[in-house]
Amino acid sequence: MVGREQLQAKRRLDAPAYGARFRGCNDFALILFPLVYAEIKKRELFMSFMRIVLRVLLLVALATLLMQDAGACAVCFGDPNSSMTHGAKAGVAVLLGVVGVVLCGIGGVAFYWIRRARLLQVQAAMRGESIEL
């Protein structure tokens, strides 16, 4: 429990910020106001974030509603047996292959690191040391 002298000193120090609002109130209000004020500030930040999110969603919805149809290129609208369509399909296949190879490489490195860590842990256990991973 805070002593009465400390509360009165706090009231004198914080008089411009809190004194005008709580003049004549008990000491509990003087202690409670900074806590409530901090909570209000947190919620104001959240509400300003929500306003920004709502504005972005509104802009996306307006852009979607006002969008016009795009003219299709020869690949999308053209003959499925044309050489341009076959080239586009081959390009997509090559790009999928490159992405697959890169992801397999990342997975292989991760698997190698896991296997090596387990091997080092077993070797350390055989020597009587302890290694935490």
Side-chain angles (χ1 to χ4, degrees):
M1 182 78 184
V2 179
R4 186 134 186 100
E5 296 84 21
Q6 291 174 334
L7 284 174
Q8 288 173 350
K10 181 168 178 45
R11 181 178 289 158
R12 280 192 300 273
L13 290 175
D14 297 339
Y18 306 125
R21 291 183 186 213
F22 294 111
R23 204 163 276 154
C25 292
N26 60 8
D27 295 333
F28 183 69
L30 189 65
I31 295 171
L32 190 61
F33 181 75
L35 299 174
V36 172
Y37 185 73
E39 185 69 25
I40 289 170
K41 282 297 180 188
K42 263 197 292 188
R43 294 193 188 270
E44 282 179 4
L45 284 175
F46 177 73
M47 293 305 293
S48 64
F49 174 73
M50 290 303 294
R51 283 187 202 117
I52 291 170
V53 168
L54 288 174
R55 286 180 186 159
V56 168
L57 288 175
L58 180 66
L59 286 174
V60 168
L62 283 174
T64 303
L65 291 174
L66 298 175
M67 200 179 305
Q68 296 179 358
D69 292 336
C73 64
V75 175
C76 300
F77 195 67
D79 181 24
N81 294 325
S82 72
S83 60
M84 198 170 186
T85 306
H86 290 300
K89 287 180 181 179
V92 169
V94 167
L95 287 176
L96 283 174
V98 168
V99 169
V101 167
V102 169
L103 288 176
C104 286
I106 292 171
V109 168
F111 179 73
Y112 173 75
W113 285 347
I114 290 170
R115 203 177 87 206
R116 184 173 175 193
R118 287 182 183 162
L119 180 65
L120 288 173
Q121 194 175 19
V122 167
Q123 288 175 350
M126 292 175 92
R127 287 190 302 250
E129 301 171 0
S130 70
I131 296 178
E132 294 197 22
L133 300 176

